[in-house]
Amino acid sequence: MACDRYMAICKPLHYMTIMRQQVIDHFMCDLIPFLEPTCLDTHTLGALIAAHSGSLCLIIFSMLVASYAVILCSLRTHSSEGHCKALSTCASHIMVVVLFFIPCSYLYLIPVVSLPIDKAMTVFCTLVMPMLNPLIYTFRNEEVKKVMKKLWGQMLKADHK
């Protein structure tokens, strides 16, 4: 919309030739869908964007995985209770990291092509994932664990009847 308004105000006589009727078919203003309506050759620029964004995404993900590996290796010397508590904490963190970085890596490692699945991945990264974070971390709460075990037990009893 910003580009559209800029063209309408600054170049009103060229507006109809510069801005086509085609709109950006995406939910958020990400760089790759924004490049599609431009008149530039996006093959080289797209490869640079994918290399830069993808490498940053992979570097950060590998640093996080390495840090969790160090944490888990250092737990060998601790008691079993501390070991279980740390594993519980790390498991929820790792789940959130994986659920965020897999769609993120997909979005930024692909070349400059807009696919229909991109919109779903964008919605997952921007809406679903932030809503899942509290739910994932809630499962670490002892009271929630007790209620879940109770519900699970009731469901198993109902299945046997």
Side-chain angles (χ1 to χ4, degrees):
M1 275 179 70
C3 183
D4 181 65
R5 294 300 114 206
Y6 171 79
M7 290 299 166
I9 294 169
C10 296
K11 299 186 181 206
L13 298 177
H14 298 282
Y15 179 80
M16 292 305 288
T17 57
I18 294 173
M19 299 302 287
R20 294 173 270 165
Q21 292 297 322
Q22 175 185 2
V23 294
I24 298 174
D25 188 27
H26 221 266
F27 294 121
M28 85 177 196
C29 194
D30 201 5
L31 187 59
I32 294 172
F34 187 67
L35 286 176
E36 285 182 352
T38 63
C39 298
L40 301 172
D41 180 26
T42 58
H43 293 291
T44 307
L45 187 58
L48 289 173
I49 290 169
H52 180 264
S53 302
S55 63
L56 280 177
C57 197
L58 288 176
I59 287 170
I60 293 169
F61 181 70
S62 60
M63 287 172 58
L64 284 168
V65 168
S67 69
Y68 285 120
V70 168
I71 290 170
L72 293 175
C73 287
S74 69
L75 288 176
R76 293 181 182 168
T77 60
H78 291 84
S79 67
S80 63
E81 183 181 320
H83 188 74
C84 288
K85 190 172 183 177
L87 279 177
S88 172
T89 302
C90 283
S92 59
H93 285 267
I94 290 170
M95 184 183 299
V96 169
V97 166
V98 166
L99 284 175
F100 177 75
F101 274 100
I102 287 178
C104 186
S105 298
Y106 169 79
L107 286 173
Y108 292 110
L109 284 174
I110 60 171
V112 181
V113 208
S114 188
L115 303 171
I117 190 82
D118 291 353
K119 288 190 276 186
M121 288 292 183
T122 303
V123 168
F124 184 79
C125 285
T126 57
L127 294 175
V128 176
M129 196 53 218
M131 289 189 297
L132 281 178
N133 279 344
L135 182 66
I136 290 169
Y137 288 117
T138 300
F139 288 134
R140 292 192 56 237
N141 188 329
E142 289 298 323
E143 292 177 23
V144 172
K145 286 181 184 179
K146 288 178 187 176
V147 170
M148 293 296 285
K149 286 179 185 177
K150 184 178 176 182
L151 286 173
W152 186 255
Q154 290 175 353
M155 287 174 45
L156 289 177
K157 287 179 184 176
D159 286 343
H160 291 296
K161 289 182 179 180

